[in-house]
């Protein structure tokens, strides 16, 4: 029901910032708004984990590892969810994916790579 495309990853120094975008280009607005959208990440050798989510009305939830550093938001008319990442550290290095919360089907995009190097 949703096809999501992630972008915005890259290389960043510790303490730096990135903004990720997740766009549901092909979805109509009413469809997009039925979903809570989350950002997940997966580092090598680790399980994929949910780091933040946002509902259509702006209600958010964060994993403790990113609280105070990351901000998730959505612009419904643009069918876009953002993840503003500040104070990045090496532990944030991962491939970041967006998907519905909870996951209704195990279908994932390519994600966007975030690498924090020092």
């Amino acid at each position: 029901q949703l096809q999501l495309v992630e972008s915005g990853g890259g290389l960043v120094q510790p303490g730096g910032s990135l903004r990720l975008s997740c766009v549901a280009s092909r979805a109509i607005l009413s469809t997009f708004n039925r979903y809570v959208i989350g950002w997940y990440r997966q580092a090598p050798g680790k399980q994929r984990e949910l780091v933040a989510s946002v509902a259509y009305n702006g209600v958010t939830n964060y994993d403790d590892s990113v609280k105070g550093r990351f901000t998730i938001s959505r612009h419904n008319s643009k069918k876009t969810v953002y993840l503003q990442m500040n104070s990045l550290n090496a532990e944030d290095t991962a491939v970041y994916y967006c998907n519905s919360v909870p996951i209704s089907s195990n279908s994932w995009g390519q994600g966007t790579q975030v690498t924090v190097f020092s």
Side-chain angles (χ1 to χ4, degrees):
Q1 296 183 17
L2 284 178
Q3 293 183 333
L4 305 172
V5 179
E6 305 94 340
S7 64
L11 303 175
V12 66
Q13 299 178 73
S17 298
L18 287 172
R19 185 180 67 183
L20 308 184
S21 297
C22 170
V23 182
S25 297
R26 297 176 61 86
I28 62 174
L29 186 60
S30 59
T31 297
F32 177 76
N33 286 344
R34 287 198 287 269
Y35 292 90
V36 176
I37 302 297
W39 281 99
Y40 302 77
R41 67 185 181 188
Q42 186 169 29
K46 296 183 178 180
Q47 298 183 59
R48 200 186 331 249
E49 62 179 357
L50 177 66
V51 299
S53 65
V54 59
Y56 79 98
N57 59 2
V59 175
T60 60
N61 195 25
Y62 297 93
D63 184 80
D64 287 342
S65 66
V66 304
K67 283 182 178 178
R69 300 188 298 118
F70 291 9
T71 302
I72 190 170
S73 61
R74 64 193 290 164
H75 195 303
N76 288 332
S77 64
K78 296 181 179 179
K79 298 177 290 184
T80 302
V81 174
Y82 304 98
L83 185 67
Q84 178 66 48
M85 306 185 295
N86 299 323
S87 301
L88 286 162
N89 56 59
E91 288 70 42
D92 298 315
T93 295
V95 179
Y96 285 71
Y97 305 87
C98 56
N99 211 334
S100 60
V101 181
I103 300 169
S104 57
S105 62
N106 193 28
S107 180
W108 301 87
Q110 294 300 306
T112 185
Q113 176 72 50
V114 172
T115 302
V116 185
F117 61 92
S118 63

